[in-house]
Amino acid sequence: MKYSSQAVAKPYFIFALALLAGEILFGLLMATQYLFGDFLFPLIPFNVLRMVHTNLLIVLILFGFMGATYYLIPEESERELWSPWLAKVTFWVFAVAGVVTILGYLLVPYATLAEITFNTLLPTMGREFLEQPTIIKIGIVFVVLSYILNVTMTVIKGRKTVITTVLLTGLFGLAFFFLFAFYLPENLVMDKLFWWFVVHLWVEATWELILGALLAFVLIKVSGIDREHIDKWLYLIIAMTLVSGLVGTGHHFYFMGAPEYWLWLGSISSAVEPLPFFLMILFAYTVTKQRKIQYDNKMALTWAKGTAVMGFLGAGVWGFMHTLAPVNFYTHGTQLTAAHGHLSFYGAYIMIIFTIISYAMPILRGRPKGNCAKAQKVELSAFWLMNIGMMGLTLALTVAGVMQIIQQRTGVNPLGFMEVQATIAPVYYTRIAFGLMVFIGLITYFTSFFIKEEKAK
Amino acid sequence: MIERITKSMAKNIYLGGGLFALLIFTGLTFDTVQQIPKRSNDDKITPSVAAGKNLWEVNNCVGCHTILGEGAYYAPELGNVFQRRGGSDEAGFKEYMKGWMAAQPMSEPNRRKMPQFNLSDKEVDSISDFLIWTSKVNANQWPPNIEG
């Protein structure tokens, strides 16, 4: 650790991982309720399980991004963080707000939560992923602003690099587009249009900038390659991200009341969306081939390559599968969407957080050469358990989606939704099994933190 | 190919391409916002439709159902439930909805359950009005068939 203020990243990483455990656990509960409708009902209805599952995901990624930023910004800027104190306060405010929100979902009916948090004053609740009470959303704005202030001040006062510029651009975009969460018109179609400004422009534009910057940082560190070379890759990746991802928002506008031109505009531009992820694979593997040092912490590079590959599969391949309007006409709102959602969030965003944690955590814990060989071996098994588990559950959901489309949306005598779901049951069992594998993988990953250093002889 | 691109070329592609895409997207958004009122029958949004949308939100219906294909995939699509369950007859659909909402949760063991939301008849009518309005949005002929 070159700068002592980098240590503020540690609680962010630990909390992100704890939330991830909760997220997967709630995923398993949902998967069970999918098959046994009486499981946990009426104690925790499906919509509540789902809110907890998806909100934990979003919050844990934000914690991961924050931890990653606080770790890398001092090193990139070659100075201490502008205010380590503010970063610590931000952590606690965000953590408490997150826990309170989750408890609110679990302890009172959602309509009551809306009432006691005065949703009528400024209604923002009840939309997918934006379920948080308005007051919590306002809190998130303040947390993000204090975070951006801290990062910006550090960058301004220190060395400016391409990585920090790209990262800051992503963060400002993240903050700006979140403001659309406060716009809730009476017209459902307008509501949907601007809802995507938060959701799509986060995950398929601004977050990808952050992802690119984090990946570039770790690859510089583990390869020893000249920064000029890395910068060029980063620019190309984010150029393709913006060129495809902005107009690519149109792939959500096909069937929600927006004009027809989105059918072809959305198809053309989102067909390019796999490209930035493909470039990430080329990037990671080229850097590996040309690396100038043998970095002792091998797992950091393994996770970085994994991010590129799984991100490409989840966001690129599984996204392309149903992004063209004539295909999406049949796949829209089926289990195929869920399949894509799971693998892309995992491949791109959960794995980049594993990458940065795997790189930074040993250093933060006073192990500059990485964890011992035994710990790395355990971490490698965790890597494969989680990757294979995620791949398996994605394939299961893909099969479920195809079965759903064929039975419910094609042919002369289509079956009803509930009948079709009953026929998919065996596939949903497979999904639980692979979900369990992911959870076991995460536990294995946790145990790798507790393996003691071998004593030097 | 990538070897021949210099860092400053890559930077220009990023700035130029990004700005170009942003301008196109912003322009198209303005046009879309102009077209939505007509395509969605904005003038038919009565106070009851708006109240129904609010009830849809504060009861987190989208946590289980999809509406125009967006939401959760645990329960059926409701964008066209007016045609599917109401046969496009408004009075009949409203009666059906009152009966349906009152019957929840159903007793069939291990069927996926819908909670009891304890809504008044007037509130259920509002939700029906909202779903009837939604079913008439011009969504480019989606969904493929009545099953949603």
Side-chain angles (χ1 to χ4, degrees):
Chain A
M1 191 163 60
K2 288 187 184 133
Y3 299 90
S4 62
S5 57
Q6 287 178 288
V8 297
K10 206 169 165 184
Y12 283 91
F13 289 150
I14 293 172
F15 199 64
L17 289 176
L19 295 181
L20 179 61
E23 191 242 344
I24 298 175
L25 190 67
F26 272 81
L28 288 169
L29 297 179
M30 288 162 83
T32 312
Q33 213 177 56
Y34 245 81
L35 287 157
F36 306 97
D38 289 335
F39 176 68
L40 288 179
F41 186 89
L43 186 66
I44 319 179
F46 184 82
N47 67 307
V48 176
L49 291 175
R50 187 174 192 267
M51 274 193 291
V52 176
H53 179 64
T54 57
N55 283 225
L56 281 177
L57 171 71
I58 298 164
V59 172
L60 93 86
I61 292 172
L62 292 178
F63 268 103
F65 283 169
M66 290 178 180
T69 317
Y70 288 138
Y71 182 84
L72 76 80
I73 283 292
E75 220 165 288
E76 285 290 295
S77 304
E78 295 183 331
R79 66 183 303 274
E80 294 287 354
L81 196 63
W82 181 64
S83 171
W85 174 85
L86 186 63
K88 280 179 206 157
V89 172
T90 312
F91 170 80
W92 284 107
V93 172
F94 196 24
V96 169
V99 170
V100 166
T101 309
I102 301 297
L103 287 178
Y105 293 158
L106 288 169
L107 297 179
V108 292
Y110 191 69
T112 314
L113 186 65
E115 209 181 309
I116 59 178
T117 56
F118 302 104
N119 189 53
T120 44
L121 293 181
L122 176 60
T124 65
M125 291 173 73
R127 291 171 298 161
E128 203 184 354
F129 313 127
L130 301 181
E131 295 94 347
Q132 312 79 30
T134 303
I135 180 101
I136 296 290
K137 288 198 183 84
I138 295 172
I140 294 175
V141 170
F142 280 104
V143 164
V144 170
L145 285 182
S146 88
Y147 160 55
I148 289 184
L149 174 74
N150 213 346
V151 176
T152 308
M153 292 309 286
T154 315
V155 169
I156 286 176
K157 292 182 175 217
R159 177 180 69 152
K160 281 130 199 106
T161 67
V162 174
I163 289 179
T164 55
T165 312
V166 171
L167 186 64
L168 264 183
T169 313
L171 292 180
F172 275 99
L174 179 156
F176 173 73
F177 288 114
F178 184 66
L179 297 179
F180 288 95
F182 292 94
Y183 177 62
L184 179 53
E186 280 179 351
N187 186 321
L188 177 74
V189 180
M190 288 286 280
D191 175 1
K192 283 174 177 286
L193 181 76
F194 288 105
W195 176 80
W196 282 115
F197 273 55
V198 188
V199 177
H200 175 97
L201 293 177
W202 268 22
V203 298
E204 287 168 71
T206 54
W207 285 17
E208 270 183 59
L209 264 55
I210 300 169
L211 162 65
L214 299 183
L215 192 64
F217 173 78
V218 174
L219 285 176
I220 287 181
K221 296 292 163 184
V222 301
S223 71
I225 286 183
D226 185 33
R227 189 177 279 276
E228 286 292 304
H229 193 66
I230 301 271
D231 288 349
K232 182 181 86 177
W233 278 99
L234 181 55
Y235 272 132
L236 281 177
I237 288 168
I238 60 170
M240 290 308 123
T241 297
L242 293 186
V243 166
S244 63
L246 287 172
V247 184
T249 318
H251 64 197
H252 302 292
F253 299 161
Y254 298 158
F255 310 118
M256 44 64 93
E260 276 89 0
Y261 53 72
W262 288 112
L263 294 172
W264 56 272
L265 271 175
S267 297
I268 294 170
S269 45
S270 64
V272 189
E273 279 193 57
L275 196 59
F277 286 96
F278 186 67
L279 283 179
M280 277 185 222
I281 297 188
L282 285 183
F283 178 35
Y285 280 85
T286 310
V287 164
T288 309
K289 215 168 70 189
Q290 299 171 347
R291 69 179 185 264
K292 296 193 171 123
I293 52 169
Q294 286 296 330
Y295 193 70
D296 290 321
N297 181 357
K298 293 203 167 42
M299 278 312 294
L301 183 57
T302 307
W303 282 112
K305 287 194 284 188
T307 305
V309 172
M310 296 300 273
F312 174 70
L313 286 175
V317 176
W318 256 263
F320 184 77
M321 226 179 249
H322 58 151
T323 202
L324 301 177
V327 178
N328 195 256
F329 183 69
Y330 291 99
T331 61
H332 183 48
T334 64
Q335 296 293 329
L336 208 71
T337 318
H340 162 57
H342 280 84
L343 198 62
S344 51
F345 265 105
Y346 171 77
Y349 298 117
I350 300 299
M351 284 192 68
I352 191 65
I353 289 168
F354 280 134
T355 304
I356 195 91
I357 290 180
S358 193
Y359 168 74
M361 215 40 180
I363 301 172
L364 287 169
R365 299 173 78 200
R367 301 168 180 177
K369 290 188 162 186
N371 292 324
C372 62
K374 201 173 149 206
Q376 286 200 42
K377 217 173 143 190
V378 174
E379 195 177 340
L380 187 64
S381 356
F383 172 89
W384 284 111
L385 277 169
M386 285 193 271
N387 280 336
I388 295 168
M390 283 310 295
M391 209 55 229
L393 84 80
T394 302
L395 284 169
L397 288 172
T398 308
V399 172
V402 172
M403 287 172 76
Q404 191 181 2
I405 292 158
I406 291 172
Q407 297 182 83
Q408 190 186 319
R409 290 189 173 167
T410 57
V412 278
N413 287 313
L415 296 179
F417 179 92
M418 294 302 284
E419 278 173 277
V420 172
Q421 291 298 308
T423 69
I424 303 175
V427 183
Y428 289 141
Y429 277 103
T430 321
R431 182 258 293 267
I432 295 189
F434 281 109
L436 267 175
M437 189 171 172
V438 177
F439 193 62
I440 294 168
L442 185 70
I443 301 296
T444 311
Y445 179 68
F446 287 168
T447 59
S448 77
F449 282 83
F450 297 99
I451 292 170
K452 293 243 167 7
E453 288 269 9
E454 286 144 30
K455 292 250 162 63
K457 279 170 194 160
Chain B
M1 187 195 97
I2 283 162
E3 293 307 317
R4 265 186 262 151
I5 301 173
T6 62
K7 181 178 158 185
S8 71
M9 282 159 78
K11 187 179 178 180
N12 290 335
I13 298 173
Y14 161 61
L15 291 174
L19 196 65
F20 181 67
L22 194 63
L23 285 175
I24 291 188
F25 182 65
T26 312
L28 289 171
T29 300
F30 273 106
D31 183 72
T32 301
V33 168
Q34 300 292 316
Q35 291 201 41
I36 282 176
K38 191 159 169 266
R39 296 181 59 97
S40 62
N41 309 304
D42 194 73
D43 53 331
K44 302 262 168 62
I45 301 180
T46 60
S48 180
V49 171
K53 181 171 183 278
N54 179 257
L55 285 161
W56 168 270
E57 285 153 7
V58 299
N59 289 289
N60 193 30
C61 305
V62 82
C64 292
H65 293 277
T66 49
I67 188 160
L68 299 181
E70 287 158 12
Y73 320 112
Y74 189 67
E77 162 69 31
L78 296 184
N80 68 338
V81 71
F82 173 52
Q83 287 89 344
R84 186 166 65 246
R85 295 288 180 245
S88 300
D89 168 50
E90 297 201 6
F93 179 61
K94 285 184 177 176
E95 280 318 301
Y96 170 84
M97 277 289 286
K98 277 175 218 159
W100 177 264
M101 295 300 285
Q104 305 307 319
M106 294 202 285
S107 56
E108 197 183 321
N110 274 326
R111 186 184 196 272
R112 294 183 193 170
K113 293 288 188 302
M114 176 161 161
Q116 173 53 250
F117 291 101
N118 300 308
L119 301 175
S120 69
D121 281 358
K122 190 172 169 253
E123 287 175 318
V124 177
D125 275 348
S126 288
I127 294 179
S128 303
D129 282 331
F130 167 63
L131 292 174
I132 291 167
W133 175 85
T134 304
S135 76
K136 291 173 181 164
V137 166
N138 178 356
N140 293 333
Q141 282 86 51
W142 196 87
N145 65 35
I146 194 83
E147 296 300 343

